[in-house]
Amino acid sequence: MKVLHIDSSILGDASVSRQLSKAIVDQLQTKHADLAVDYLDLAAQPIPHLTGAILMGQDAEQTELGEKIIQQYLDADIVVVGAAMYNFGLTSTLKAWIDRISVAGKTFKYTENGPVGLAGEKKVYIASSRGGVYGENSPVDFQEGFLKTVFNFTGVNDVEIIRAEGVNMGPELKDKAISSALTQVQAL
């Protein structure tokens, strides 16, 4: 079983989303002895943002990187994404990864009945952290809803969110949010 583990927080060891994504992968490893993990740290090694030259296939190095990123995504049985909310959305580095996996003919196709995802059956866990408290379906949430939409668009409908909210609202609320999220992880 293959896991693609992606972290995108810029906070390194102080990151709650990184703590949660690691806990998810650790939990999966306890349940699946044959787990192979491919790890991407988008803060330490950012993927270059999409440009016209990349999109048009005029940059051979970036075309090769794009093919590798798509294949990692397609090969994964499980995708674990550490996604911290920044200014109501996600990091630009995570968006750069999304731009590389959202490729017509590779992860989706257009048909006369609309788009069809091609990424296959897989499970996605989103380790979401937020400084404030927004709840589910907040009108200012361009993080979780966006990620669900992207994965659904590529054909992945089994998306589970493990959320820690209010992590910047004092140590007591932060500890409670992390504890609650880790309890969800233990139930996986």
Side-chain angles (χ1 to χ4, degrees):
M1 180 172 290
K2 291 184 179 182
V3 172
L4 176 56
H5 178 189
I6 301 166
D7 276 325
S8 61
S9 171
I10 60 175
L11 296 180
D13 292 339
S15 167
V16 173
S17 66
R18 285 175 182 270
Q19 179 182 346
L20 296 178
S21 73
K22 181 183 181 317
I24 292 167
V25 172
D26 289 347
Q27 179 70 3
L28 293 170
Q29 286 177 319
T30 64
K31 293 188 173 222
H32 305 282
D34 65 336
L35 207 67
V37 179
D38 203 359
Y39 181 67
L40 295 175
D41 184 336
L42 299 177
Q45 294 182 310
I47 295 166
H49 292 271
L50 194 61
T51 65
I54 293 170
L55 184 64
M56 301 306 291
Q58 298 168 341
D59 183 327
E61 182 180 333
Q62 289 304 312
T63 298
E64 185 178 324
L65 176 62
E67 291 296 327
K68 178 183 174 191
I69 291 166
I70 289 170
Q71 202 57 54
Q72 281 177 314
Y73 178 58
L74 292 173
D75 289 347
D77 300 299
I78 300 171
V79 179
V80 178
V81 180
M85 179 186 269
Y86 289 90
N87 301 317
F88 311 113
L90 37 97
T91 63
S92 66
T93 55
L94 184 53
K95 176 62 168 76
W97 178 82
I98 289 167
D99 286 342
R100 296 303 187 91
I101 66 155
S102 302
V103 178
K106 301 283 186 168
T107 58
F108 71 92
K109 66 181 178 180
Y110 291 113
T111 71
E112 59 279 350
N113 297 319
V116 175
L118 303 173
E121 296 295 316
K122 60 180 88 251
K123 173 78 176 186
V124 173
Y125 294 99
I126 298 170
S128 171
S129 64
R130 299 154 170 226
V133 176
Y134 299 90
E136 197 167 332
N137 302 318
S138 167
V140 294
D141 171 10
F142 303 102
Q143 172 210 25
E144 292 176 3
F146 178 73
L147 287 168
K148 280 186 194 177
T149 298
V150 167
F151 288 118
N152 291 171
F153 189 78
T154 66
V156 179
N157 297 307
D158 191 359
V159 179
E160 185 172 342
I161 295 176
I162 309 293
R163 179 186 308 119
E165 290 196 292
V167 300
N168 289 340
M169 297 175 71
E172 187 176 322
L173 190 53
K174 178 180 181 178
D175 290 345
K176 183 178 176 185
I178 292 170
S179 177
S180 176
L182 290 175
T183 298
Q184 281 184 270
V185 170
Q186 290 172 349
L188 299 180

